[in-house]
Amino acid sequence: MLESSEFNHNLLDWYQSNKRTLPWRQTRDPYRIWLSEVMLQQTQVTTVIPYYEKFITKYPDIDSLAEADEEALLKDWEGLGYYNRIRNFHAAVKEVRDNYNSTVPERPETFFNLKGVGPYIGGAVQSIAFNHLLAAVDGNVLRVISRLDADGRDVARASVQKDIKKRIEEIIPLEAGDFNQALMELGATICTPRAPKCIMCPVQEHCEAYSRNIVSELPVKKKAKRKNEIYYNVYFILNDRNEILLRKQEGTLLQGMYELPKYDVDTSVESIEEDLQLSIDTSGRHVGSGKHVFTHQVWYMEGYVLHTRDRHPDFVPLEDVGGLPMSRAMQKIYEQFEVPAERM
DNA sequence: TAGTCGTGGTG
DNA sequence: TCACCAAGACT
């Protein structure tokens, strides 16, 4: 078990002399902290930084983001992934504008009710911006605590995460924001998933896993399920006006992003004509292949060019395609078409 | 609870 | 190459 006073002192002391705090956190501007926490979920700091800079320049405050067009936001988010994050953040920010006078709620109960605000983001924003005594439990913290306590339970379980959050809140000091960031920083730099640097750890003497020599066995996690492999034919459908057929992705995966029509490889051209309500004139040129790995799926894509003389509401001028939000998956196949087209 | 949701880095 | 993982939330 953690000896709270000595443990806290060692951890905070280490953090003060080693911290590489994200610069915008020093402002304690709750909007900036909130935006960055939304971007940081399941995403590395180095990936987030350019996106954060772009957003904070274009949308420096609650009102400017609330007023933004959703498709423009999606375009700015393009490539960052988990696109529901920006939709939820947009909705939450609009609620703050409309119901809370464009001021980020300082009451935890109010803030936690906003869209996209879960236990981590809620705790992080409320502790860093307002010094509320709440834990911010991310993957780093789960790993750190499971090792300190030699806790062999599956950290993926919500009940275990709740437990760890409660446990931290029993010892969290008044400098709650710094304490949370110190735990995360410790996990990111010392108490790493592989090859942890226990020799440099400021709280080594408090670590149950270290004293039992079982650090490498923790945390315990279930093995990931095998990914589903999907094979698509992807179609570049062109008309005689230098336009290409694009549509908005439906369903839940990549919702709202623009895509080339894609069909399971065994779908006939007749079914495609039926589905799109247009007739294909010439068909067939193969333009390339692409593979994209998602969390739970792998796409294998083959791209083909088709021509039609029909009208269709979803045709887009080729020069406008770059302005529409498109997933990396679709970009991978689209790039292979674009380059040869420019040479024609 | 367990599955879903992107993308890039790493050993 | 490949499995794992990253300042998680929603259904």
Side-chain angles (χ1 to χ4, degrees), chain A residues 23-76:
Chain A
W24 57 83
R25 283 194 172 150
Q26 292 164 5
T27 70
R28 305 254 162 174
D29 174 349
Y31 168 74
R32 291 180 180 231
I33 294 166
W34 184 11
L35 170 63
S36 75
E37 299 300 347
V38 172
M39 289 181 163
L40 283 164
Q41 67 163 293
Q42 299 288 280
T43 311
Q44 308 226 20
V45 172
T46 53
T47 305
V48 162
I49 286 176
Y51 285 91
Y52 175 80
E53 299 295 345
K54 173 165 60 180
F55 267 75
I56 214 62
T57 303
K58 284 185 76 167
Y59 316 107
D61 50 36
I62 292 280
D63 289 333
S64 53
L65 195 132
E67 284 158 20
D69 171 63
E70 177 157 312
E71 192 164 299
L73 289 173
L74 259 186
K75 178 65 188 173
D76 289 329

Side-chain angles (χ1 to χ4, degrees), chain A residues 15-16 18-28 33 45 49 128 177-178 181-182 185:
Chain A
Y15 180 61
Q16 294 308 332
N18 289 278
K19 70 175 164 188
R20 38 157 209 177
T21 302
L22 299 170
W24 57 83
R25 283 194 172 150
Q26 292 164 5
T27 70
R28 305 254 162 174
I33 294 166
V45 172
I49 286 176
I128 296 170
D178 281 350
Q181 293 179 81
E185 187 71 8

Side-chain angles (χ1 to χ4, degrees), chain A residues 145-166:
Chain A
I145 301 295
S146 75
R147 285 173 175 168
L148 285 167
D149 283 349
D151 187 342
R153 294 176 296 173
D154 181 356
V155 295
R157 287 172 50 202
S159 59
V160 175
Q161 297 184 8
K162 230 172 165 176
D163 229 44
I164 289 180
K165 176 175 166 63
K166 195 174 153 196

Side-chain angles (χ1 to χ4, degrees), chain A residues 64-320:
Chain A
S64 53
L65 195 132
E67 284 158 20
D69 171 63
E70 177 157 312
E71 192 164 299
L73 289 173
L74 259 186
K75 178 65 188 173
D76 289 329
W77 199 269
E78 178 187 88
L80 198 52
Y82 285 143
Y83 297 97
N84 270 330
R85 289 184 292 177
I86 184 58
R87 259 192 287 273
N88 288 338
F89 186 59
H90 192 204
V93 163
K94 282 196 279 193
E95 190 178 342
V96 169
R97 177 196 60 187
D98 296 341
N99 299 341
Y100 305 111
N101 193 27
S102 297
T103 305
V104 178
E106 196 163 340
R107 284 187 66 230
E109 309 83 63
T110 310
F111 188 67
F112 274 90
N113 277 328
L114 297 168
K115 263 193 188 171
V117 176
Y120 168 75
I121 291 180
V125 173
Q126 293 289 313
S127 68
I128 296 170
F130 305 127
N131 261 341
H132 284 301
L133 303 186
L134 295 169
V137 180
D138 72 336
N140 288 310
V141 176
L142 289 175
R143 183 171 58 255
V144 169
I145 301 295
S146 75
R147 285 173 175 168
L148 285 167
D149 283 349
D151 187 342
R153 294 176 296 173
D154 181 356
V155 295
R157 287 172 50 202
S159 59
V160 175
Q161 297 184 8
K162 230 172 165 176
D163 229 44
I164 289 180
K165 176 175 166 63
K166 195 174 153 196
R167 186 139 157 45
I168 294 170
E169 287 171 355
E170 283 166 2
I171 64 165
I172 197 165
L174 291 176
E175 314 93 305
D178 281 350
F179 187 75
N180 284 329
Q181 293 179 81
L183 280 176
M184 291 188 260
E185 187 71 8
L186 185 70
T189 61
I190 305 282
C191 196
T192 49
R194 282 164 300 201
K197 306 169 182 65
C198 297
I199 193 73
M200 300 171 63
C201 181
V203 290
Q204 182 201 93
E205 65 210 59
H206 299 275
C207 185
E208 189 66 24
Y210 181 77
S211 68
R212 290 198 218 161
N213 198 24
I214 54 171
V215 173
S216 61
E217 298 167 28
L218 295 168
V220 172
K221 276 187 185 177
K222 264 191 313 192
K223 271 190 186 164
K225 219 178 76 174
R226 203 178 124 74
K227 294 185 201 304
N228 207 5
E229 299 188 327
I230 306 177
Y231 294 83
Y232 285 123
N233 285 338
V234 177
Y235 295 102
F236 299 83
I237 302 175
L238 305 171
N239 64 15
D240 49 13
R241 305 172 169 196
N242 220 22
E243 294 174 330
I244 187 167
L245 190 65
L246 288 183
R247 51 186 189 183
K248 275 194 186 182
Q249 196 124 359
E250 296 175 357
T252 52
L253 180 62
L254 301 175
Q255 187 187 43
M257 307 298 278
Y258 283 81
E259 65 165 1
L260 295 162
K262 65 183 196 309
Y263 295 90
D264 205 83
V265 283
D266 54 16
T267 307
S268 68
V269 175
E270 290 74 22
S271 320
I272 296 171
E273 290 180 305
E274 166 89 29
D275 182 51
L276 294 175
Q277 288 295 302
L278 50 73
S279 56
I280 303 300
D281 286 343
T282 62
S283 65
R285 184 169 71 85
H286 181 249
V287 296
S289 326
K291 175 189 176 185
H292 190 76
V293 180
F294 296 91
T295 307
H296 292 287
Q297 290 183 18
V298 185
W299 285 5
Y300 295 94
M301 299 168 283
E302 298 295 338
Y304 296 93
V305 172
L306 305 179
H307 293 276
T308 182
R309 280 171 292 185
D310 292 357
R311 302 288 186 85
H312 193 282
D314 294 338
F315 273 111
V316 174
L318 278 168
E319 65 266 26
D320 291 351

